[in-house]
Amino acid sequence: MWNLCFCFSDCQNSVYSSASTVKQKIVIKVQFSSEKRKTEAFKTAAGFKGVSNVSIEADKDQVVVIGVGIDSVCLAKSLRKKLSYAQIVSVEEAKKPEEKKPQVETVSYVQYPLHCDVVYW
């Protein structure tokens, strides 16, 4: 679970090596002052390699990014470049939502064959 990043001038063109194939959830705090800034944050996060899901929580001023092999530092750096403020809140393994299996009631029964005595006359 090691992520190695060599950020040169631009994180999008950086040499990136990921030894991790674990899906991760990255939460970054940003400041939304308008709809335009929300759109910029969404486009910037969605453009990163390995991102599978981006959501914006406007009430908490957070961008939640889920994906595999994402460099959180380079993502925060790119958001900071666009929005002038971005702070990493958390990086953790993304947990799959628990699927509730339908309750199936199984009824088992055994049917014994009827024994009839056949009498031939």
Side-chain angles (χ1 to χ4, degrees):
M1 293 205 337
W2 292 96
N3 287 334
L4 303 173
C5 177
F6 303 102
C7 293
F8 297 111
S9 61
D10 186 16
C11 281
Q12 292 289 350
N13 298 325
S14 65
V15 177
Y16 181 74
S17 173
S18 174
S20 173
T21 58
V22 176
K23 191 175 255 192
Q24 56 188 354
K25 177 181 176 182
I26 302 168
V27 180
I28 299 177
K29 184 168 182 70
V30 293
Q31 292 177 343
F32 297 125
S33 58
S34 65
E35 283 294 319
K36 182 179 178 183
R37 292 177 65 88
K38 289 179 192 176
T39 304
E40 286 178 1
F42 189 85
K43 285 181 181 179
T44 303
F48 256 74
K49 184 178 179 180
V51 172
S52 62
N53 189 2
V54 177
S55 62
I56 304 247
E57 296 179 1
D59 56 336
K60 296 180 184 177
D61 287 341
Q62 292 180 346
V63 177
V64 179
V65 180
I66 298 175
V68 177
I70 305 167
D71 185 10
S72 58
V73 175
C74 287
L75 176 61
K77 186 177 177 182
S78 294
L79 287 170
R80 196 173 296 125
K81 190 175 183 179
K82 287 280 187 181
L83 306 173
S84 74
Y85 175 79
Q87 179 182 3
I88 298 173
V89 175
S90 68
V91 178
E92 59 188 30
E93 183 179 341
K95 298 176 184 171
K96 293 181 182 176
E98 293 181 18
E99 296 179 12
K100 291 187 177 182
K101 295 181 181 177
Q103 293 282 340
V104 177
E105 189 173 319
T106 58
V107 178
S108 61
Y109 62 93
V110 177
Q111 183 176 7
Y112 293 102
L114 295 173
H115 291 285
C116 296
D117 291 332
V118 179
V119 179
Y120 295 102
W121 299 82

